[in-house]
Structures are given as structure tokens and as C-alpha cells.
Amino acid sequence: MRVLVTGGAGFIGSHVVDALRARGHEAVGFDVRDDPRADVRDPAAVARALSGVDAVCHQAAQVGLGDGVRDAAEYVSRNDLGTAVLLAAMAGAGVRRLVLAGSMVVYGEGRYECRVHGAVRPGPRDPADLAAGRFEPGCPVCGAPLSPGLVAEDAPADPRNVYAATKLAQEHLCAAWARSTDGTALSLRYHNVYGPRMPRDTPYAGVASFFRSALRRGEPPRVFEDGRQRRDFVHVRDVAAANVTALEAVRAEPRPGTLTAYNTGSGEPRTVGDLATALATAHGGPAPVVTGEYRLGDVRHITADSTRLRTDLGWKPEVGFAEGMREFARA
């Protein structure tokens, strides 16, 4: 299978290219890092890249928190306009198979249970509560403490920042493309991806990268809030394998006219404090510092239920948390 990988020189995209080639597929990278003309917003460049392609793995995007609006136009241009140009070119070229790099950010907060009111969805946290160190959201009905759980793909979308809004829009665009062309689209909603080739010290680096950079400077990782925020940290090689599995599933079992979303996580919730401690231990110190600082737009807990991906496609993560952290500390 000949696969066009947009963003193929990036952190995740480069691992997807490697995984495709290891499985005997032909991976064609398309990335402005390799060629300034390889911009998904350029219809002519995209049309040329699609020549002879069987499927597309769309990884190209501007990533990050996107918590303000001053950079909203850039996020929308790169993520949503770029996706629209790509889909239009695919329709013209007759390419009908697509795997999209989605994101768990489309959910906003994760799943919560109130002892009285059952499953609830708290709204954005109050800045006054955050400033006072009250980080846990309460029940939106009675204010009681909540128990966080795993969020499944059928949870309502509730994007809390610009980046999240563009990732949800990408899915809607891909669903519209699938319906209008009888194409098949899968969206892999990545959780917190880490591993080799992760960018360092940029606005788009993940918390794992910032922690590792601090340790290499001889500084302790600075952990926001109380460090008890729950996330799902998944290794980049496992994410790359999920993309290859999804592409092969799209090829073997087409479901035209649909977009199916799959959470892509390790299935092992960890706290941000766990991450900082594991990296500090693997690096040999210094120990993390919990700062109590916070960022508006951050959610408290978001962890995945990846059962659908395991059941439908047979994918499972292979890199354990401790092993992955040791490797990442050295990478």
C-alpha cells in the first residue's frame, strides 16, 4: 500500500513512516520541514503528492495548548484549512482511505461520577478556585466531590481551547468528506504521546519534554497544580503502530461513508506527578517541585478508554510506562 503521510517529518509522523516501511508499505512523506513547498494548504502541491497514493495518514497540524485567541487564525489555517484542501484534493484524485491524527482534547474534561447524580460533566474550572488551590472540579449539580473515570468515544465533545476546536473541526470535515465521496475515515484520538524525537523547549512540546529539558539543565521538573492531574501517557511507537493497524483495517474492511473515532492511549492512567517522578528517577534527579501554578484552559483529568481500538482492530500498546520513561530520559 502506498500511503501519503502528511507531517511525515514530525514527531509522530516520522515514527508512522518508519512503522509503515517496517510493515512493507510504501510511505511517502509530505512535510514543510523537508520541503517548504510541501504545505497542505497548497492545492497544487497536495495534488502532486497524491499521485499513485492508496491512502492518506494525516498527521500535519499545528499543535499545542492554543488557549488564547491571538493565534486562532494560524491554528485554523494550518489545521482546518489544511485539512479541507487535502480532502478536496483526495476527492479529485479518487483516494478514498484516510486515517486522521485526532486528539483527546475534543472531550474537554474527562468522565466523572457523582455519588448522588451519577455521570456528570463539569464545566470549565473557576479561576478563583484555581488561584485558591482548589483544583478538583465539583459536581455541577450539588458541588460534591467527583470520582474521575475513563472517557469513551461516545462522550459529548466539549473543546476548551482553540487547538481543541480545530481538532474537532478536522473530524467534522473528514466525516463530511467520507459521506460525500463514499470514503472511509478513521480518527485516532491521541492521548499524551511521548518518546524519541519529541520536540524540545517549544510552545508545542508536551509536559514530558519540558520535564526532561529541566532535568538536563540540572533543574527540578516544575509540576503545575498539585501534580495529581490524571492523564494517559502513550509511547509514540505504540501510536505509530496504531496508525499502521488503522490503515490496514481501512484497506481490508472498508466502511464507506463513515468516520469512526478511536481513543488511542495506554489504558494506564497516571498523574503528571507520576510522570515527573519517573523521569527524575530515570535521569538521576533532581526531584520534582510541585508549584501550585496553573494554566487557564487546562483540564483536570482526561484519560482514555481504548477498548474500541483493541476490540475492533486488535491493537494493543507494547511499551510500558516505566520502560518508556527510562528510554525517554536517555533519548
Side-chain angles (χ1 to χ4, degrees):
M1 179 167 49
R2 181 178 170 89
V3 181
L4 179 68
V5 182
T6 68
F11 167 43
I12 299 174
S14 63
H15 283 277
V16 172
V17 168
D18 290 348
L20 281 166
R21 290 172 178 167
R23 288 279 296 178
H25 300 293
E26 181 182 359
V28 180
F30 184 80
D31 197 306
V32 291
R33 297 173 184 85
D34 290 334
D35 181 354
R37 297 166 299 179
D39 191 324
V40 290
R41 296 170 293 182
D42 182 341
V46 175
R48 288 193 297 270
L50 286 169
S51 177
V53 162
D54 301 303
V56 172
C57 187
H58 185 29
Q59 304 291 319
Q62 178 160 323
V63 301
L65 183 60
D67 57 337
V69 294
R70 287 182 295 180
D71 54 0
E74 189 70 9
Y75 274 94
V76 171
S77 174
R78 292 186 180 275
N79 296 355
D80 299 335
L81 175 60
T83 298
V85 169
L86 173 66
L87 295 172
M90 289 174 64
V95 180
R96 297 292 183 265
R97 299 166 182 152
L98 171 68
V99 172
L100 170 69
S103 175
M104 56 84 182
V105 296
V106 301
Y107 298 120
E109 284 283 355
R111 185 177 187 274
Y112 292 86
E113 290 279 345
C114 172
R115 286 175 295 180
V116 177
H117 297 99
V120 294
R121 292 185 60 80
R125 293 181 290 173
D126 188 331
D129 286 338
L130 295 173
R134 295 187 293 269
F135 302 120
E136 293 288 348
C139 175
V141 181
C142 67
L146 299 173
S147 298
L150 301 180
V151 61
E153 292 88 350
D154 58 359
D158 184 18
R160 299 288 178 90
N161 55 54
V162 168
Y163 171 64
T166 65
K167 296 306 290 183
L168 182 59
Q170 281 186 314
E171 289 194 354
H172 289 319
L173 288 166
C174 292
W177 164 85
R179 286 191 295 270
S180 66
T181 65
D182 245 7
T184 303
L186 279 66
S187 176
L188 299 180
R189 290 176 175 172
Y190 302 159
H191 281 246
N192 293 72
V193 186
Y194 73 95
R197 305 176 199 163
M198 193 173 191
R200 292 185 295 176
D201 303 326
T202 76
Y204 315 119
V207 65
S209 180
F210 284 115
F211 288 169
R212 184 180 63 175
S213 293
L215 288 163
R216 289 185 170 176
R217 294 192 301 268
E219 301 170 2
R222 293 177 57 82
V223 180
F224 279 12
E225 300 187 19
D226 58 4
R228 297 174 185 166
Q229 311 95 297
R230 288 160 55 96
R231 296 291 187 270
D232 187 318
F233 299 102
V234 59
H235 196 278
V236 67
R237 287 197 300 274
D238 286 332
V239 169
N243 275 274
V244 177
T245 298
L247 285 161
E248 291 175 343
V250 167
R251 183 185 188 191
E253 300 178 16
R255 286 169 287 181
T258 63
L259 179 140
T260 305
Y262 291 99
N263 287 335
T264 307
S266 70
E268 298 180 358
R270 303 277 180 171
T271 68
V272 174
D274 290 339
L275 170 69
T277 299
L279 277 177
T281 300
H283 190 272
V289 173
V290 177
T291 68
E293 298 171 19
Y294 62 90
R295 296 187 305 187
L296 292 176
D298 277 358
V299 298
R300 179 61 175 173
H301 304 295
I302 176 67
T303 52
D305 181 349
S306 298
T307 303
R308 177 185 289 178
L309 183 57
R310 295 171 187 244
T311 302
D312 286 6
L313 304 187
W315 170 87
K316 64 177 182 178
E318 302 290 345
V319 183
F321 180 76
E323 173 193 354
M325 287 298 125
R326 287 192 296 269
E327 179 198 30
F328 184 60
R330 300 189 304 266

